[in-house]
Amino acid sequence: MIGIICAIPDEIAYFKDLHIQKQSQIAKFTFFEGEIANKKVIIVESGMGKVNATIITTLLIQKFNCNFIIFSGVAGGLDPSLKVKDIVIAQNIIQYDYGLIRNKEFETYQAGYLPFYMPTDEIGYKLKDSLLNKIKICLNNIEINYGTILTGDQFIHCPEKRKELFEKYKAQAVEMEGAAVAQVAESFNVDWLIIRALSDLAGEDSSFDFINFLKETASLAAKIVCKIIEK
Ligand code: ADE
């Protein structure tokens, strides 16, 4: 079973138009079961932020036996070469708000570890090479940016912060759930994939752009998810 997570109603809207066969409720969350290209999927709106994403990823794996978790939604662009409506697939995803404050400076560490020594060579969660290769083949006729996505419990609406994040991590996009999904999935040895369309550029226009482009960009990401599942 493939689990598809969206954070907010506009991100899940496209999937709700697909044929839904069954729905069930756990706590405040509704899980919609259906099929995309004859493959069983379960789609759920998690709400925003890392805690909601963690609850839902765990439930999809433990209660619904999902062996592949996909996040479909929007993000803020960080890389100045990207624009609203571009698609980013995470090749690496980092919880950039996890770490240590030393001498008034914030240092990012690998999430879940004591932030005095680095337990991994690189920070973040990497998309499996075998999965990345399959996805590149199946999306070869669509322009996709494969790169680094940052996850944190903050909506970025600040040109200075956007610049700082790009310079520090060379990341393409920022959002609020993906790395939590990856962390949980990896804990259970389950594959994950984070697909985001840029709804805004995380700068001073970001809340205006987010509202204006949310519907359109959320469905761009959802269409890519359907294409991957179809193929
Ligand atoms: N999701 C969409 N736009 C975002 C932004 N600017 N910051 C964080 N998450 C986002």
Side-chain angles (χ1 to χ4, degrees), residues 74-77 152 154-157 174-176 196 199-203 206 210:
V74 299
Q154 296 149 353
F155 188 94
I156 307 299
H157 176 56
V174 61
E175 39 86 312
M176 301 174 71
R196 298 279 185 171
S199 55
D200 60 86
L201 299 178
S206 71
F210 179 82

Side-chain angles (χ1 to χ4, degrees), residues 176-202:
M176 301 174 71
E177 297 83 21
V181 172
Q183 184 182 357
V184 176
E186 293 207 356
S187 301
F188 287 97
N189 207 16
V190 161
D191 283 341
W192 56 269
L193 182 65
I194 313 297
I195 301 184
R196 298 279 185 171
L198 302 185
S199 55
D200 60 86
L201 299 178

Side-chain angles (χ1 to χ4, degrees), residues 91-102:
Q91 215 171 323
N92 185 24
I93 191 146
I94 298 172
Q95 283 182 43
Y96 74 96
D97 58 353
Y98 186 96
L100 164 73
I101 298 189
R102 179 161 38 198

